[in-house]
Amino acid sequence: RAKKRGRDRYEFFTQALQAEIVETKKLADDILRGMENHEFEAFYQPQFDARSRDIVGVEALVRWRHPTLGLLAPDRFMRVAEELNVVTAIDRLVLEQGLRDHAAWREAGLVIPKLSVNVSARRLHDEELIAQLGGMDIAPGVVAFELVESIFLDEEDEVAMANIEAIKRLGIDIEIDDFGTGYASIVSLMKLQPARLKIDRQFIAPILDSTRQRKLVRSIVDIGASLGIGIVAEGVETMDHAKALQRMGCDVLQGYAFARPMTAETLAGFARGQQWRVAPAARSGEHPK
Ligand code: C2E
Ligand code: MG
Ligand code: MG
Ligand code: MG
């Protein structure tokens, strides 16, 4: 009996595993088809000055306009895209669309100071990255690359380090994304001299309920202040969070409390509306409480 049960279980697992492999293979084929069909698109989530509440930038976030499944967020396809190595193509596509949209906004009289894009580990290790970037029309100081901490676990990682230096020379900022969730040492992160740290939303959510969590955020803000690194809070879901984060000294706020990721066109309309909503006092540097 025990033997039979063991065998049943074994068959259950192999079947489940097989089903998963089939699903993954289907998704992989679908991603490649979708790429050829231009179904991937950049959405934009605005980022706000914590005090004036002016829009200081946007983060480009990829979406998949799937013909039958509708609009898909990265959690539905990024893992497989990474396995397939399609993630480098996605990163490139998002940057290229971002630059096009950014130029179009400017043509239309809308100045968005910063365009942030997420850069995968694979892309950071791409030997062609720098040559590619050199061929793009990137004005210095406009673009930021968001890199997650796990990219920097290996301090001997010479390709990544050389690319980062070259990226900076092109006038592109480096930001550490999801700060606090990885295991890279503070020392190795600070060696990069990032322009900004983005505190992960898991540290932001509990700040209203916990003194400890507030102290944690405040100590990150202190690190930023003493090293001249800007602090961005991501996942700011309520205006109470926004107020608390402003008081704690965060520079930039991003989250559902202000806006969700949206299409390029919607972003343009949103930013216009936002500009005339900004109080004159806030513009001249007096910060409303
Ligand atoms: P991320 O770079 O940390 O981006 C922030 C994520 O948090 C986005 O999810 C955004 O929609 C979501 N978010 C923003 N505000 C809030 C909030 O107030 N509450 C909550 N709960 N969530 C909020 P999204 O767009 O689903 O992207 C998920 C992740 O996928 C990104 O995390 C990033 O790691 C990755 N990703 C997205 N686009 C790209 C891309 O073009 N290239 C690469 N390599 N990765 C990307
Ligand atoms: Mg990001
Ligand atoms: Mg993040
Ligand atoms: Mg994240």
Side-chain angles (χ1 to χ4, degrees):
R1 275 200 84 142
K3 227 182 198 166
K4 173 162 191 313
R5 218 184 300 142
R7 196 171 60 228
D8 284 352
R9 190 174 284 176
Y10 173 76
E11 272 169 17
F12 174 77
F13 280 127
T14 41
Q15 272 167 20
L17 190 63
Q18 232 148 34
E20 201 189 304
I21 291 169
V22 170
E23 278 307 303
T24 303
K25 174 79 173 75
K26 263 201 228 154
L27 178 55
D29 290 343
D30 207 16
I31 290 172
L32 296 173
R33 185 202 52 74
M35 283 297 283
E36 281 197 1
N37 225 12
H38 307 289
E39 289 166 10
F40 292 83
E41 178 181 331
F43 272 40
Y44 303 93
Q45 187 179 32
Q47 301 173 324
F48 299 81
D49 182 286
R51 284 176 289 264
S52 72
R53 303 290 164 90
D54 280 326
I55 293 178
V56 291
V58 292
E59 177 177 9
L61 295 156
V62 69
R63 295 291 182 268
W64 183 2
R65 277 191 201 281
H66 194 281
T68 55
L69 301 174
L71 193 66
L72 303 182
D75 64 330
R76 294 285 295 277
F77 57 86
M78 270 315 222
R79 192 182 56 81
V80 174
E82 268 171 43
E83 283 173 23
L84 280 175
N85 207 359
V86 172
V87 71
T88 28
I90 291 178
D91 286 357
R92 181 176 177 171
L93 168 159
V94 168
L95 174 60
E96 285 173 343
Q97 190 199 322
L99 292 170
R100 275 198 311 277
D101 288 337
H102 188 267
W105 292 327
R106 199 180 47 227
E107 291 277 297
L110 183 67
V111 179
I112 302 289
K114 188 128 267 154
L115 170 71
S116 297
V117 300
N118 294 280
V119 174
S120 62
R122 280 192 193 267
R123 182 143 163 90
L124 190 67
H125 287 86
D126 189 344
E127 311 228 327
E128 287 161 37
L129 175 64
I130 300 307
Q132 267 177 27
L133 295 175
M136 295 178 187
D137 189 15
I138 300 178
V142 171
V143 174
F145 280 3
E146 298 190 4
L147 310 171
V148 292
E149 268 179 65
S150 52
I151 294 179
F152 306 105
L153 279 185
D154 180 5
E155 290 180 38
E156 318 281 85
D157 190 337
E158 280 159 23
V159 182
M161 287 307 166
N163 273 354
I164 285 173
E165 288 313 315
I167 287 165
K168 287 186 179 171
R169 281 196 296 274
L170 290 171
I172 297 172
D173 285 349
I174 298 295
E175 301 189 7
I176 307 296
D177 202 354
D178 302 351
F179 183 73
T181 62
Y183 296 94
S185 71
I186 296 263
V187 177
S188 66
L189 290 178
M190 293 313 133
K191 256 200 292 204
L192 294 167
Q193 298 186 281
R196 276 169 294 277
L197 300 177
K198 297 189 76 176
I199 307 178
D200 192 72
R201 72 164 181 265
Q202 79 179 70
F203 300 107
I204 301 303
I207 56 164
L208 298 182
D209 312 315
S210 153
T211 319
R212 276 178 67 88
Q213 293 290 332
R214 274 196 298 281
K215 282 186 179 160
L216 183 61
V217 169
R218 219 185 287 263
S219 60
I220 297 173
V221 169
D222 287 344
I223 293 176
S226 54
L227 297 178
I229 299 171
I231 301 294
V232 183
E234 62 177 13
V236 181
E237 293 196 347
T238 71
M239 281 303 167
D240 286 341
H241 283 86
K243 279 183 214 141
L245 290 160
Q246 180 205 331
R247 277 197 301 271
M248 292 159 81
C250 285
D251 304 296
V252 174
L253 308 178
Q254 177 182 356
Y256 295 169
F258 299 98
R260 292 185 178 246
M262 55 187 97
T263 65
E265 205 187 347
T266 310
L267 187 277
F270 178 88
R272 269 180 222 296
Q274 200 67 28
Q275 277 181 336
W276 60 255
R277 278 213 306 272
V278 174
R283 281 179 177 275
S284 66
E286 283 170 47
H287 305 134
K289 284 281 128 53

